[in-house]
Amino acid sequence: MQYQSEARKLAQTLHLPFLTHKTREYDLQLCYLENYIELFSSELNSAIHIDFCAGKLAHRHQYGGGRGQAIARAAGLKQGKSPTVLDATAGLAADAFILATLGCPVTMLERSPILTTLINDAIDRAQHEKSLGKVFQRGFCVHNIDAFDYMQQLPEKNRPDVIYLDPMYPERKKSARVKKAMQILQQLHSSDDNAETLLATSLHKARKRVVVKRPVHAPAIANNKPSTSIKTKKTRFDIYVIEKL
Ligand SMILES: C[S@@+](CC[C@H](N)C(=O)[O-])C[C@H]1O[C@@H](n2cnc3c(N)ncnc32)[C@H](O)[C@@H]1O
């Protein structure tokens, strides 16, 4: 609820309509329907909102394969460790949420004010959910800032163990195989042109490792060879080890 008025103000600043119903009049609009905020694309006839308590994310929280799943192994959670994680490219907060539910204190950074508002709206609703109490006790929050600026100002004592990067990848932009949610993200910004700078800065700021999520056949960022990689059918996690966890 708290973020409804913020979303309204944000919509005004961005010259986006803020509606309580969907229309086809605008390409992109922020809507407040039922009890959550969503971003609706009339071109794609699809909307995104974030929900940590229901749907895909909640299902993955309950049945997602725990610390054995690829993202958890990539972040170094296997031997009972719960490193602090800075997710520098939060997006829809799905990856950050998985790491948070598996025990990591997670700080997210997102440069899009719209996505930050969607994440904050979801956090606001999830804070009352009993099963997520520990997630918020350990720390799960988002800052609307460019990750490069944040990392430049990061005090030594706040350096995270792990920096996680998932920059938008331009390939297959128009393909039907690209999920609708990702297509809406691509309407917000076509591709993340700063992946090289982000990786270089992250390698200086992470204490233990940097993890980069890539499509399985994509080249490593800046052709910078990782220490090791973990692959799934569609995704590869490139791991740059700085120090043993
Ligand atoms: C592919 S999405 C991340 C998806 C995310 N891993 C998830 O699970 O939902 C990439 C996001 O990174 C954000 N981003 C890219 N460069 C950034 C930067 N320098 N600082 C902060 N956010 C950035 C984009 O705005 C976009 O929302």
mmCIF file of all heavy atoms in Angstrom, residues 2 35 46 66 77 83 110 114 122 128-130 139 143 151 169 186 207 212 214 236 245:
data_model
loop_
_atom_site.group_PDB
_atom_site.id
_atom_site.type_symbol
_atom_site.label_atom_id
_atom_site.label_comp_id
_atom_site.label_asym_id
_atom_site.label_seq_id
_atom_site.Cartn_x
_atom_site.Cartn_y
_atom_site.Cartn_z
ATOM 1 N N GLN A 2 1.902 1.227 0.867
ATOM 2 C CA GLN A 2 2.755 2.382 1.038
ATOM 3 C C GLN A 2 3.324 2.876 -0.299
ATOM 4 O O GLN A 2 3.493 4.070 -0.503
ATOM 5 C CB GLN A 2 3.890 1.974 1.975
ATOM 6 C CG GLN A 2 4.890 3.054 2.263
ATOM 7 C CD GLN A 2 6.131 2.441 2.895
ATOM 8 O OE1 GLN A 2 6.085 1.337 3.426
ATOM 9 N NE2 GLN A 2 7.228 3.149 2.821
ATOM 10 N N ASN A 35 -4.254 -5.507 -5.077
ATOM 11 C CA ASN A 35 -3.433 -4.879 -4.035
ATOM 12 C C ASN A 35 -1.963 -4.796 -4.402
ATOM 13 O O ASN A 35 -1.114 -4.767 -3.541
ATOM 14 C CB ASN A 35 -3.606 -5.620 -2.699
ATOM 15 C CG ASN A 35 -3.042 -7.014 -2.800
ATOM 16 O OD1 ASN A 35 -2.859 -7.506 -3.914
ATOM 17 N ND2 ASN A 35 -2.720 -7.636 -1.693
ATOM 18 N N SER A 46 0.706 -7.699 -21.894
ATOM 19 C CA SER A 46 1.214 -8.472 -20.767
ATOM 20 C C SER A 46 1.704 -7.517 -19.688
ATOM 21 O O SER A 46 2.070 -6.378 -19.977
ATOM 22 C CB SER A 46 2.365 -9.355 -21.273
ATOM 23 O OG SER A 46 2.841 -10.153 -20.236
ATOM 24 N N GLY A 66 16.809 -26.270 -3.063
ATOM 25 C CA GLY A 66 17.711 -25.884 -1.975
ATOM 26 C C GLY A 66 19.103 -25.493 -2.415
ATOM 27 O O GLY A 66 19.308 -24.961 -3.513
ATOM 28 N N LEU A 77 27.191 -21.507 -1.672
ATOM 29 C CA LEU A 77 26.397 -21.879 -0.494
ATOM 30 C C LEU A 77 26.531 -23.346 -0.096
ATOM 31 O O LEU A 77 25.938 -23.770 0.883
ATOM 32 C CB LEU A 77 24.904 -21.597 -0.767
ATOM 33 C CG LEU A 77 24.405 -20.210 -0.407
ATOM 34 C CD1 LEU A 77 25.020 -19.170 -1.317
ATOM 35 C CD2 LEU A 77 22.886 -20.148 -0.517
ATOM 36 N N PRO A 83 27.055 -16.562 2.504
ATOM 37 C CA PRO A 83 27.770 -15.306 2.277
ATOM 38 C C PRO A 83 26.829 -14.123 2.103
ATOM 39 O O PRO A 83 25.675 -14.296 1.705
ATOM 40 C CB PRO A 83 28.526 -15.577 0.964
ATOM 41 C CG PRO A 83 27.753 -16.652 0.288
ATOM 42 C CD PRO A 83 27.182 -17.509 1.374
ATOM 43 N N GLU A 110 19.204 -1.579 -8.246
ATOM 44 C CA GLU A 110 18.466 -1.540 -9.514
ATOM 45 C C GLU A 110 18.414 -0.088 -9.987
ATOM 46 O O GLU A 110 17.998 0.788 -9.237
ATOM 47 C CB GLU A 110 17.062 -2.115 -9.338
ATOM 48 C CG GLU A 110 16.177 -2.026 -10.559
ATOM 49 C CD GLU A 110 16.831 -2.530 -11.856
ATOM 50 O OE1 GLU A 110 17.230 -3.692 -11.932
ATOM 51 O OE2 GLU A 110 16.944 -1.711 -12.806
ATOM 52 N N ILE A 114 11.314 2.292 -11.899
ATOM 53 C CA ILE A 114 10.060 1.531 -12.020
ATOM 54 C C ILE A 114 10.237 0.155 -11.392
ATOM 55 O O ILE A 114 9.432 -0.290 -10.562
ATOM 56 C CB ILE A 114 9.641 1.380 -13.500
ATOM 57 C CG1 ILE A 114 9.334 2.754 -14.088
ATOM 58 C CG2 ILE A 114 8.444 0.454 -13.644
ATOM 59 C CD1 ILE A 114 8.942 2.731 -15.546
ATOM 60 N N ALA A 122 6.563 -5.361 -3.608
ATOM 61 C CA ALA A 122 6.519 -6.794 -3.257
ATOM 62 C C ALA A 122 7.079 -7.026 -1.854
ATOM 63 O O ALA A 122 6.544 -7.825 -1.082
ATOM 64 C CB ALA A 122 7.318 -7.598 -4.281
ATOM 65 N N HIS A 128 4.796 -9.203 5.895
ATOM 66 C CA HIS A 128 3.836 -9.746 6.862
ATOM 67 C C HIS A 128 3.733 -11.260 6.763
ATOM 68 O O HIS A 128 2.990 -11.887 7.512
ATOM 69 C CB HIS A 128 2.461 -9.091 6.654
ATOM 70 C CG HIS A 128 2.544 -7.603 6.617
ATOM 71 N ND1 HIS A 128 2.834 -6.864 7.741
ATOM 72 C CD2 HIS A 128 2.436 -6.723 5.599
ATOM 73 C CE1 HIS A 128 2.891 -5.578 7.410
ATOM 74 N NE2 HIS A 128 2.653 -5.470 6.110
ATOM 75 N N GLU A 129 4.448 -11.850 5.837
ATOM 76 C CA GLU A 129 4.358 -13.297 5.617
ATOM 77 C C GLU A 129 5.293 -14.025 6.592
ATOM 78 O O GLU A 129 6.506 -13.816 6.568
ATOM 79 C CB GLU A 129 4.780 -13.576 4.156
ATOM 80 C CG GLU A 129 4.731 -15.007 3.724
ATOM 81 C CD GLU A 129 3.316 -15.499 3.489
ATOM 82 O OE1 GLU A 129 2.415 -14.682 3.232
ATOM 83 O OE2 GLU A 129 3.141 -16.730 3.588
ATOM 84 N N LYS A 130 4.677 -14.874 7.433
ATOM 85 C CA LYS A 130 5.449 -15.542 8.489
ATOM 86 C C LYS A 130 6.637 -16.327 7.951
ATOM 87 O O LYS A 130 7.742 -16.269 8.481
ATOM 88 C CB LYS A 130 4.526 -16.516 9.235
ATOM 89 C CG LYS A 130 4.284 -16.106 10.668
ATOM 90 C CD LYS A 130 3.520 -17.199 11.350
ATOM 91 C CE LYS A 130 3.471 -16.936 12.841
ATOM 92 N NZ LYS A 130 2.617 -17.895 13.503
ATOM 93 N N GLY A 139 18.170 -9.661 6.194
ATOM 94 C CA GLY A 139 18.358 -8.493 5.341
ATOM 95 C C GLY A 139 18.032 -8.819 3.897
ATOM 96 O O GLY A 139 18.631 -9.729 3.306
ATOM 97 N N HIS A 143 18.075 -0.860 -3.369
ATOM 98 C CA HIS A 143 18.366 0.567 -3.518
ATOM 99 C C HIS A 143 18.233 0.936 -4.988
ATOM 100 O O HIS A 143 18.730 0.203 -5.851
ATOM 101 C CB HIS A 143 19.800 0.887 -3.084
ATOM 102 C CG HIS A 143 20.095 0.520 -1.671
ATOM 103 N ND1 HIS A 143 19.509 1.157 -0.597
ATOM 104 C CD2 HIS A 143 20.925 -0.423 -1.150
ATOM 105 C CE1 HIS A 143 19.956 0.614 0.517
ATOM 106 N NE2 HIS A 143 20.811 -0.348 0.216
ATOM 107 N N MET A 151 28.978 1.041 -5.895
ATOM 108 C CA MET A 151 30.218 0.310 -5.572
ATOM 109 C C MET A 151 31.385 1.269 -5.386
ATOM 110 O O MET A 151 32.241 1.046 -4.550
ATOM 111 C CB MET A 151 30.517 -0.731 -6.652
ATOM 112 C CG MET A 151 29.546 -1.900 -6.586
ATOM 113 S SD MET A 151 30.173 -3.312 -7.496
ATOM 114 C CE MET A 151 29.180 -3.288 -8.934
ATOM 115 N N TYR A 169 20.918 -9.431 -21.660
ATOM 116 C CA TYR A 169 21.664 -9.903 -22.824
ATOM 117 C C TYR A 169 20.847 -9.603 -24.072
ATOM 118 O O TYR A 169 19.668 -9.945 -24.130
ATOM 119 C CB TYR A 169 21.908 -11.413 -22.672
ATOM 120 C CG TYR A 169 22.930 -11.945 -23.639
ATOM 121 C CD1 TYR A 169 24.262 -11.568 -23.520
ATOM 122 C CD2 TYR A 169 22.566 -12.800 -24.658
ATOM 123 C CE1 TYR A 169 25.208 -12.038 -24.411
ATOM 124 C CE2 TYR A 169 23.515 -13.278 -25.552
ATOM 125 C CZ TYR A 169 24.834 -12.891 -25.421
ATOM 126 O OH TYR A 169 25.766 -13.349 -26.307
ATOM 127 N N GLN A 186 12.976 -5.469 -21.560
ATOM 128 C CA GLN A 186 13.697 -4.958 -22.724
ATOM 129 C C GLN A 186 13.040 -3.699 -23.289
ATOM 130 O O GLN A 186 13.695 -2.893 -23.937
ATOM 131 C CB GLN A 186 13.811 -6.050 -23.798
ATOM 132 C CG GLN A 186 14.845 -7.095 -23.416
ATOM 133 C CD GLN A 186 14.810 -8.320 -24.314
ATOM 134 O OE1 GLN A 186 13.847 -8.550 -25.041
ATOM 135 N NE2 GLN A 186 15.860 -9.115 -24.240
ATOM 136 N N ARG A 207 34.559 -9.471 -1.783
ATOM 137 C CA ARG A 207 35.637 -10.056 -0.959
ATOM 138 C C ARG A 207 36.023 -11.449 -1.465
ATOM 139 O O ARG A 207 37.180 -11.812 -1.464
ATOM 140 C CB ARG A 207 35.167 -10.213 0.488
ATOM 141 C CG ARG A 207 35.129 -8.928 1.247
ATOM 142 C CD ARG A 207 34.740 -9.206 2.707
ATOM 143 N NE ARG A 207 34.293 -7.979 3.317
ATOM 144 C CZ ARG A 207 35.109 -7.047 3.798
ATOM 145 N NH1 ARG A 207 36.408 -7.205 3.749
ATOM 146 N NH2 ARG A 207 34.612 -5.936 4.331
ATOM 147 N N VAL A 212 28.575 -14.276 -12.466
ATOM 148 C CA VAL A 212 27.882 -13.635 -13.595
ATOM 149 C C VAL A 212 26.974 -14.647 -14.266
ATOM 150 O O VAL A 212 27.421 -15.726 -14.678
ATOM 151 C CB VAL A 212 28.886 -13.090 -14.636
ATOM 152 C CG1 VAL A 212 28.135 -12.341 -15.737
ATOM 153 C CG2 VAL A 212 29.899 -12.172 -13.996
ATOM 154 N N ARG A 214 24.874 -15.849 -17.386
ATOM 155 C CA ARG A 214 24.889 -15.653 -18.845
ATOM 156 C C ARG A 214 24.026 -16.715 -19.515
ATOM 157 O O ARG A 214 23.882 -17.827 -18.982
ATOM 158 C CB ARG A 214 26.309 -15.844 -19.403
ATOM 159 C CG ARG A 214 27.371 -14.980 -18.801
ATOM 160 C CD ARG A 214 27.205 -13.552 -19.162
ATOM 161 N NE ARG A 214 27.706 -13.210 -20.489
ATOM 162 C CZ ARG A 214 27.388 -12.075 -21.099
ATOM 163 N NH1 ARG A 214 26.547 -11.223 -20.549
ATOM 164 N NH2 ARG A 214 27.901 -11.786 -22.272
ATOM 165 N N ARG A 236 24.421 -20.234 -17.815
ATOM 166 C CA ARG A 236 25.764 -20.533 -17.299
ATOM 167 C C ARG A 236 26.098 -19.494 -16.220
ATOM 168 O O ARG A 236 25.799 -18.300 -16.394
ATOM 169 C CB ARG A 236 26.770 -20.431 -18.441
ATOM 170 C CG ARG A 236 28.136 -20.999 -18.122
ATOM 171 C CD ARG A 236 29.114 -20.795 -19.251
ATOM 172 N NE ARG A 236 29.520 -19.417 -19.368
ATOM 173 C CZ ARG A 236 29.363 -18.655 -20.450
ATOM 174 N NH1 ARG A 236 28.803 -19.127 -21.532
ATOM 175 N NH2 ARG A 236 29.757 -17.393 -20.469
ATOM 176 N N LEU A 245 35.839 -19.068 0.005
ATOM 177 C CA LEU A 245 34.751 -18.683 0.927
ATOM 178 C C LEU A 245 34.903 -19.368 2.273
ATOM 179 O O LEU A 245 35.352 -20.499 2.328
ATOM 180 C CB LEU A 245 33.408 -19.077 0.309
ATOM 181 C CG LEU A 245 32.664 -17.988 -0.443
ATOM 182 C CD1 LEU A 245 31.647 -18.600 -1.379
ATOM 183 C CD2 LEU A 245 31.971 -17.026 0.498
#
